[in-house]
Every structure is written in structure tokens, then in C-alpha cells.
Amino acid sequence: MSFKIENIRPTVIAGPCSAENRDQVFATAQELKSNKNLKYFRAGLWKPRTRPNSFEGVGSEGMVWLAEVQKELGIPVMTEIANAEHAELALKHGIDAVWIGARTTVSPFTVQNIADSIKGTSLPVMVKNPMHADLGLWLGAIERISASTTGEVAALHRGFSNYTQHKYRNAPMWELPIGLKSELPEVSLFCDPSHICGNTEFLSFVSQKAMDLGMDGLMIETHTIPNEALSDASQQITPTELIELLSGLEIRSNLKDSITDSDLSALRIKMDSIDEQLMELLSGRMEIAKLMGEFKKVEGLTVLHLERWREIVRTRMKWSKELGLSEEFILRVLEQVHKESIKVQTDVMNQES
Ligand code: PEP
Ligand code: MN
């Protein structure tokens, strides 16, 4: 089975972050059923939580609910597999397709175990990008899985964890999916705006960007009562809101083939993405300047420390030389950044406490 619906873009995969109980799974699937863009109903069964003691998923019991949705409502179903045991359960219950999560793609050992466990089957698999911005790991996971299943293997872009991010939960870093498409033009490429955003505010913006890049589809987390979701409550939308989001998208069909590394519009998108990251980094630097201002205020220290400034110039000039940047340019940049840091610190020190 193909991941894409013929002649419809975007193909949509929707459903809750987590299957919570049979009623919630059925109610969500029922509401999504009439959406003409919907190809797969998704629900996570084993939730990779950053810290213990939060909802970790209903486990294999949920496989039965998904198989029932598929049988009773006629919607193909998908879930996340994170190890060989999950893969075997998905095959046993006749789950239509699976995805490999970002925390799994980072581990070639686990990806290979999964590949071995589905060897000789025709299970369609979507491979999410790894947590961090490493195109090689993403490509490697796709290659391992492709060598194993005869089913379609597609790529799913969910953004990259980045400690400087403010706007997004995971930085989109569009240059990576563009790089993937250039390496593997035949592989379908989907975007997961829910996990990129971490909230609902930028979902439409990110979905539109994915469409402008010529991506084939979207995976969007959908819950009947998002506020009450047991995981990722802040980023889920209702099935009705999903229809509104989709109807607001502008789909330009002639962009389909333009997502290559050297294309001018792709180069512009890469440049935009890098500038966005630069702004995030500068904003993170100014936040630290504020904290330093507070510290210096409490300790009664002066804002400007000439020794420290000389050290900054010396080290940064060395780093930038190694990166092939012009000394004159970097000195000007550093002076401006330093000037702004001093201003931020002075403002903090002058504030009434
Ligand atoms: C998910 O899709 O619910 C999920 C856990 O995603 P990711 O692997 O992208 O974090
Ligand atoms: Mn989720």
C-alpha cells in the first residue's frame, strides 16, 4: 500500500498522540473518517517519555483497538514501533503501516533489530528524522529498513531538538529534509508539524511551508478533547480544526519537483532557516547577558571587564579563522554583539529592584 493518496496533496495521517482508551480511539477515528485527505489513522501505544512517571502508553492492548478501527471503520491504521517486539506485535495484529520514532532512528542497532524483525514482509514503514540534525543517520535508517521490507519506506520530518529553540519545540531546520530529498528523490516525504511546533500556534504556518517545499503529506496529532490528552496536550487539535487547517492551505502543484539542493527556492529556504537559527542563538546570548547583569548587580561588579572582552575577541577570531570567515567582518559582528550585551546588562542593573 502506498503512503500517498493519488492526486491529493497533502495526504494526511491523523489521530491522537496516544491511544488512551477504546472509546477515545473510536471517537477520534469516527470524526476523522470523512476527511478526504485522510489516509491513515495514527495512535501511539508505547510513549517515549523524557522522564519517568508520566503516561507511558497503553501498550499492546491498544493494538486490538487499532485493528478494530481498521476493520469496523475501514481506515488504515498506523502506530510507532520502537523495537523488534513492537514490530512483531504490529505484524501479528495486521497493523497497516508503522513509523519509527525520532528516539529510535538515532540508534543504528535498534533500527537494524527492527529491520531484521520485519525481513521478508511487505510492512510499509515511515522513518522519522533522528532527534538531532544528522542527515546520515536518517538516510542510514531508511536504507536499513528498505533492505528488509518490500513495502514502501517513506521519510517523516519532525524537526530537531535544539537547546536554543524558543519558537518551536523542535527546530524545523528545513535544510535537512531538502538534503534528504536530494539524496533520495524517489522516497515520499511527509512532515509532522505537531512535533515541530509543540503547540497549535504555528501548525498552519509549518504545514504551508512543508507544502511549499513539495512535501507529499502531513502527520497531525488530533484529539477529540485536546486539553484532556494524556500526552502532548498542547499540540493536538480537534478533527474539525484539522479540516479548517487543511482548507486554509495553498497547494501549488508545480513546486513538486523543485525540492532539490541546488534549486534557488530551496537555497532561499535553507538560508531562511539558518537566519532563523542565528536569531535564536542571538536571543539566547542576550538572555545570558541579562542573567549576568543580575549577577553583577547583586555582587556589586561593573558591567565592562576589559580582560574578558579581550579574551572574547581572541578566541572568537581564532574560531572564525578556522571556519574561513573574514577577520574584518567577524570583528565588526563581535563589536555589535558586545555593544548590545553591555546595553542589556546595563538595563538590568539600572532596573529598580
Ligand atoms: C509521536 O509521533 O507521538 C512521537 C513520539 O514522535 P517523535 O518520535 O517525533 O517524538
Ligand atoms: Mn506526540
Side-chain angles (χ1 to χ4, degrees), residues 16 18-30 41 43 65-66 69 73:
S18 302
E20 297 166 9
N21 55 64
R22 192 181 180 280
D23 287 350
Q24 169 248 8
V25 166
F26 263 78
T28 319
Q30 187 74 50
F41 176 74
W65 308 333
L66 287 180
V69 163
L73 302 181

Side-chain angles (χ1 to χ4, degrees), residues 87 91 114-125 145 148-151:
L91 290 168
I114 292 174
D116 293 343
S117 70
I118 61 169
K119 190 141 197 82
T121 71
S122 58
L123 186 66
V125 183
I145 300 294
S148 197
T149 175
T150 58

Side-chain angles (χ1 to χ4, degrees), residues 310-325:
R310 285 197 197 104
E311 169 73 3
I312 287 181
V313 173
R314 198 182 55 74
T315 50
R316 277 53 164 179
M317 294 311 283
K318 181 170 173 280
W319 300 340
S320 53
K321 197 169 170 197
E322 285 163 6
L323 293 168
L325 293 161

Side-chain angles (χ1 to χ4, degrees), residues 18-307:
S18 302
E20 297 166 9
N21 55 64
R22 192 181 180 280
D23 287 350
Q24 169 248 8
V25 166
F26 263 78
T28 319
Q30 187 74 50
E31 282 194 43
L32 286 167
K33 194 179 165 195
S34 58
N35 191 319
K36 68 173 176 35
N37 295 69
L38 185 83
K39 177 72 188 260
Y40 287 96
F41 176 74
R42 68 147 277 161
L45 304 177
W46 296 274
K47 300 310 296 178
R49 306 316 295 269
T50 305
R51 302 186 67 179
N53 304 322
S54 44
F55 177 65
E56 297 201 319
V58 294
S60 57
E61 187 187 1
M63 285 272 175
V64 179
W65 308 333
L66 287 180
E68 283 173 0
V69 163
Q70 174 203 62
K71 212 163 133 215
E72 291 175 28
L73 302 181
I75 313 172
V77 293
M78 259 182 110
T79 195
E80 174 175 344
I81 55 166
N83 56 40
E85 188 194 336
H86 298 166
E88 279 148 22
L89 281 165
L91 290 168
K92 183 176 137 204
H93 286 88
I95 300 301
D96 298 284
V98 296
W99 76 87
I100 292 179
R103 291 160 192 77
T104 307
T105 308
V106 293
S107 165
F109 291 130
T110 310
V111 173
Q112 191 58 50
N113 279 343
I114 292 174
D116 293 343
S117 70
I118 61 169
K119 190 141 197 82
T121 71
S122 58
L123 186 66
V125 183
M126 266 197 177
V127 181
K128 286 203 180 197
N129 64 254
M131 295 294 282
H132 60 285
D134 185 330
L135 181 57
L137 268 179
W138 198 4
L139 291 167
I142 292 172
E143 286 158 1
R144 287 177 200 277
I145 300 294
S146 299
S148 197
T149 175
T150 58
E152 184 179 358
V153 180
L156 182 49
H157 166 232
R158 50 79 77 198
F160 302 87
S161 80
N162 181 338
Y163 77 102
T164 63
Q165 277 297 313
H166 300 269
K167 185 169 166 189
Y168 298 111
R169 176 177 176 188
N170 290 293
M173 302 175 97
W174 298 102
E175 59 275 25
L176 275 107
I178 292 173
L180 182 112
K181 193 71 189 172
S182 300
E183 294 275 337
L184 303 173
E186 304 309 322
V187 169
S188 295
L189 178 56
F190 278 56
C191 182
D192 171 350
S194 304
H195 288 90
I196 289 177
C197 294
N199 57 46
T200 58
E201 198 183 339
F202 302 117
L203 276 184
S204 304
F205 175 80
V206 171
S207 304
Q208 182 64 54
K209 194 108 176 167
M211 290 300 99
D212 293 347
L213 274 174
M215 292 199 192
D216 301 291
L218 302 170
M219 176 186 266
I220 298 190
E221 287 189 338
T222 322
H223 195 282
T224 45
I225 315 171
N227 287 341
E228 293 178 11
L230 297 182
S231 60
D232 287 349
S234 58
Q235 69 194 30
Q236 304 202 56
I237 55 174
T238 65
T240 312
E241 287 165 339
L242 175 64
I243 292 176
E244 286 160 17
L245 185 154
L246 294 175
S247 63
L249 293 177
E250 198 178 322
I251 308 297
R252 301 176 195 92
S253 57
N254 59 353
L255 280 167
K256 184 71 196 83
D257 299 320
S258 75
I259 174 173
T260 67
D261 245 340
S262 54
D263 182 88
L264 183 62
S265 59
L267 288 173
R268 284 192 174 131
I269 289 169
K270 282 184 175 189
M271 194 175 265
D272 288 351
S273 170
I274 289 174
D275 283 351
E276 200 172 10
Q277 292 167 59
L278 262 177
M279 299 307 135
E280 293 277 355
L281 283 170
L282 282 172
S283 153
R285 197 186 195 282
M286 294 310 155
E287 286 301 318
I288 290 179
K290 255 187 227 163
L291 294 175
M292 289 172 105
E294 278 159 22
F295 184 87
K296 289 176 182 173
K297 184 177 181 177
V298 173
E299 301 293 323
L301 300 170
T302 55
V303 167
L304 185 63
H305 288 236
L306 268 182
E307 260 321 296

